[in-house]
Amino acid sequence: CEYQTNPLGIDVLKPRLSWQIVSAEENVLQTAYEIKVTDQTAKGQLLWNSGKVNSAQSVNLTYEGPALKSMQRVAWQVRVWDNKNKVSAWSALATWEMGILEPESWKASWITLGSEPNVLGSKPCQYFRNEFAAEKKIQSARIYVTSLGLYQLFLNGKKVSTDLFTPGWTSYKNRIQYQTYDVTSMLQPKNSLAAIVGDGWYRGNIGWSSQNGYYGSKIALLAQLRITYTDGTFETVGTDGSWKVSNGPILFSDIYNGETFDARKEMPGWSALGFNDSGWEKAAVIDHSKKLLIAPQGAVVKAIEEIKPLKLITTPTGETVFDMGQNMVGWVRLNVQGKHGDQVTLKFAEVLTQEGNFYTDNLRSAQGSVNFILNVSGLEVFEPHFSFHGFRFVKIEGLSAQPTLDQITGVVIHSDMTPTGSFVCSDPMINQLQHNIQWGQKGNFLDVPTDCPQRDERLGWTGDAQVFSMTAAFNYNVAPFYTKWMRDVAADQLPNGRVPHVIPDVLKQDGGSTAWADVSVIVPWTTYL
């Protein structure tokens, strides 16, 4: 359904349904199909039956039943007839669930840290929390959540999802995605809901002219939990002025410049029930439109794989550098021991100089460094929250002892796309080229199709995206990824029809160049093919 399996919280009013035949026989072709859709919020009542349709089509068949409502859950099945006039059994139930379709259904408020100083540049991340009871027997629970900035969400001290860089990067002045999560199994009679929000693309550095706060000067959280009880009643818990908010150990987190984390400022148990937040202030409610909120359509960013460094290098100038053996995009997990107040710094580079020294000139103004300030003398483990790097080499500074290879682990992140095509031949150099192409795609398909993952740019250049789209579609299923991004192409298209050079458009140039603007035709056509 809409390129996803059993999706939660969609807002496509007539979702498109797809299936594949599985058969032990050869030469089996579909000649007809029948779809039925039932309402799971009304005890399986039939909503729509397509009847038998003589067609071989099995991709993107549109639901044509009655209009669907906010948060409605439906199930669907399909059966097919083959070219020997045999009919299959009905498929197992698949489901989809609608998101919040009307702005007025959002009862929660946007909240922020009211006392944040109005200073230029990156600011500390904001920590939010609230406690609530849910003492009746629960049937289901969904949380709908987004932010101005990037968020991580916690329920009873545990992360709600492994999704990264949520709510994603869109044309924020036109569209802000929210995510829907099933938290039924995480709820208890008494609960704590908490979140961290950082600058991200919304308020962080973006573009190469030290442009900060492009979309807005305030970051904020919006979250709405809907609990359905077995007695048929509902309860809504949402962000409002009763929530508490504070700064914490993330002193700043910026996509270009990296992250500084002071473990001495950690607040053990801050996201769990019973934490003493008496020193936190009440959240400030801000007015920001909920009419911009949309359900996601793309491929969510995940931590996909991990890479161990191959060797440790001491450069001619005496720098200590890890070689990951592979140019990758993501970050490293750091295992470190030292003294209270020690600072360990990680810097990232794609190449070494001809002499073998650490090289970062190509990052331009992007600092791309991680600073971790230690709290205890025992082992501490750290990963950044809202920043990523493009790199093969990692320089480490500030250790009190000689580093070891197991000190860091590379975490590869990108949009979670299903591999579709593969290529191998007898020539190792061509195989290496294909390997490089696939890693180039992994490194640049991070919620938007970017031009590069390392310097002060990382923008969705439309010319790069369209010229690579055929290769991209060979390597991976990019249909959901492009569906989301092309909606931003349409959102940022100028009134005179011109298409900007980058999407989302943060350059505000006139746009409209041949090859770059061709993205508006070539990417949809490639996706269709």
Side-chain angles (χ1 to χ4, degrees):
C1 175
E2 288 299 313
Y3 302 118
Q4 301 174 66
T5 303
N6 302 329
L8 276 183
I10 66 172
D11 60 8
V12 178
L13 299 179
K14 291 189 172 185
R16 296 165 297 170
L17 309 173
S18 305
W19 59 86
Q20 259 186 336
I21 300 175
V22 177
S23 175
E25 299 176 29
E26 293 183 351
N27 301 319
V28 175
L29 303 173
Q30 174 186 309
T31 58
Y33 68 83
E34 182 181 8
I35 302 168
K36 66 177 176 184
V37 179
T38 54
D39 188 347
Q40 296 300 287
T41 51
K43 298 183 179 173
Q45 175 188 338
L46 182 68
L47 278 174
W48 176 64
N49 188 304
S50 68
K52 183 179 178 181
V53 179
N54 292 318
S55 169
Q57 188 175 343
S58 60
V59 174
N60 288 353
L61 278 304
T62 305
Y63 164 78
E64 298 290 358
L68 298 163
K69 304 180 187 71
S70 267
M71 297 170 275
Q72 186 174 3
R73 183 171 179 80
V74 302
W76 68 285
Q77 292 173 283
V78 62
R79 63 176 178 171
V80 300
W81 285 260
D82 70 8
N83 48 338
K84 294 159 191 168
N85 208 31
K86 281 201 266 183
V87 61
S88 73
W90 285 101
S91 64
L93 279 178
T95 61
W96 81 79
E97 190 170 300
M98 303 306 290
I100 297 178
L101 302 181
E102 307 89 15
E104 58 271 19
S105 295
W106 283 95
K107 307 303 181 190
S109 302
W110 291 99
I111 57 172
T112 191
L113 177 65
S115 65
E116 183 177 65
N118 185 19
V119 294
L120 290 174
S122 297
K123 301 173 185 68
C125 290
Q126 296 179 12
Y127 289 68
F128 299 86
R129 58 172 276 109
N130 188 39
E131 295 187 0
F132 63 96
E135 293 177 334
K136 292 197 286 184
K137 193 172 181 188
I138 295 167
Q139 179 179 310
S140 65
R142 304 285 186 265
I143 190 155
Y144 307 89
V145 56
T146 186
S147 59
L148 307 179
L150 298 175
Y151 74 83
Q152 288 185 1
L153 185 69
F154 303 82
L155 183 56
N156 295 322
K158 295 180 179 169
K159 267 191 191 175
V160 166
S161 169
T162 57
D163 297 351
L164 300 171
F165 291 86
T166 46
W169 188 13
T170 50
S171 173
Y172 291 131
K173 291 175 180 174
N174 298 292
R175 301 158 22 95
I176 300 171
Q177 295 184 137
Y178 67 89
Q179 280 71 39
T180 303
Y181 297 113
D182 179 352
V183 293
T184 311
S185 63
M186 298 180 73
L187 283 175
Q188 301 165 0
K190 295 192 183 305
N191 302 274
S192 170
L193 191 56
I196 311 172
V197 178
D199 289 353
W201 295 286
Y202 186 85
R203 191 175 74 172
N205 290 288
I206 202 162
W208 52 87
S209 56
S210 299
Q211 187 169 257
N212 188 272
Y214 178 79
Y215 292 102
S217 60
K218 289 187 183 299
I219 55 175
L221 176 70
L222 179 72
Q224 182 164 305
L225 172 66
R226 178 182 166 90
I227 306 170
T228 305
Y229 295 108
T230 53
D231 64 5
T233 59
F234 301 92
E235 187 174 359
T236 300
V237 177
T239 45
D240 59 23
S242 70
W243 280 55
K244 291 293 199 71
V245 58
S246 177
N247 292 134
I250 308 176
L251 304 187
F252 82 85
S253 189
D254 183 85
I255 285 173
Y256 290 174
N257 293 330
E259 182 166 311
T260 294
F261 188 95
D262 188 345
R264 297 169 301 180
K265 294 179 179 288
E266 281 196 286
M267 305 169 287
W270 73 272
S271 60
L273 193 67
F275 175 77
N276 180 5
D277 58 15
S278 59
W280 293 30
E281 67 181 75
K282 283 197 169 181
V285 173
I286 62 169
D287 183 24
H288 197 84
S289 175
K290 295 169 192 165
K291 292 179 181 177
L292 305 177
L293 296 174
I294 58 161
Q297 293 175 303
V300 73
V301 178
K302 296 271 192 188
I304 303 292
E305 59 189 294
E306 297 190 350
I307 293 178
K308 296 289 187 185
L310 294 186
K311 57 185 175 184
L312 264 167
I313 302 165
T314 302
T315 69
T317 56
E319 302 155 311
T320 302
V321 174
F322 293 91
D323 180 0
M324 306 303 294
Q326 168 67 52
N327 201 323
M328 57 168 281
V329 171
W331 56 72
V332 298
R333 184 185 308 116
L334 173 67
N335 300 291
V336 65
Q337 280 184 282
K339 300 190 300 294
H340 176 83
D342 283 356
Q343 177 170 308
V344 175
T345 298
L346 301 170
K347 293 182 181 290
F348 301 86
E350 294 188 302
V351 292
L352 303 177
T353 65
Q354 252 183 332
E355 297 75 33
N357 292 313
F358 201 68
Y359 177 81
T360 56
D361 287 1
N362 66 314
L363 304 187
R364 299 191 302 215
S365 68
Q367 298 303 303
S369 61
V370 168
N371 303 296
F372 179 67
I373 301 168
L374 282 68
N375 182 34
V376 296
S377 56
L379 180 68
E380 294 185 81
V381 181
F382 173 71
E383 294 183 57
H385 297 74
F386 305 119
S387 186
F388 65 89
H389 317 274
F391 65 98
R392 172 177 165 180
F393 299 98
V394 184
K395 180 167 72 170
I396 191 163
E397 300 171 330
L399 290 179
S400 55
Q402 278 296 108
T404 56
L405 267 183
D406 60 1
Q407 196 117 37
I408 66 169
T409 302
V411 179
V412 177
I413 69 167
H414 56 80
S415 290
D416 190 10
M417 305 169 290
T418 306
T420 48
S422 60
F423 174 84
V424 67
C425 72
S426 59
D427 189 320
M429 289 294 281
I430 295 177
N431 292 339
Q432 182 64 45
L433 174 61
Q434 170 64 1
H435 171 91
N436 294 354
I437 290 166
Q438 287 174 321
W439 275 87
Q441 182 168 354
K442 288 194 249 189
N444 281 295
F445 276 50
L446 203 152
D447 204 51
V448 304
T450 59
D451 61 317
C452 65
Q454 77 298 78
R455 65 182 182 231
D456 56 351
E457 190 162 352
R458 314 183 201 191
L459 304 178
W461 284 94
T462 50
D464 305 45
Q466 64 88 359
V467 80
F468 185 70
S469 60
M470 301 75 150
T471 304
F474 173 84
N475 287 330
Y476 290 96
N477 174 19
V478 289
F481 180 88
Y482 281 144
T483 298
K484 174 252 182 187
W485 185 67
M486 288 305 297
R487 293 290 171 91
D488 287 304
V489 173
D492 277 345
Q493 188 174 8
L494 303 178
N496 63 8
R498 290 187 174 197
V499 175
H501 294 310
V502 300
I503 301 292
D505 182 18
V506 294
L507 298 184
K508 289 299 172 197
Q509 298 169 338
D510 288 340
S513 294
T514 303
W516 280 257
D518 297 348
V519 74
S520 58
V521 175
I522 287 174
V523 167
W525 177 243
T526 301
T527 306
Y528 168 74
L529 291 179

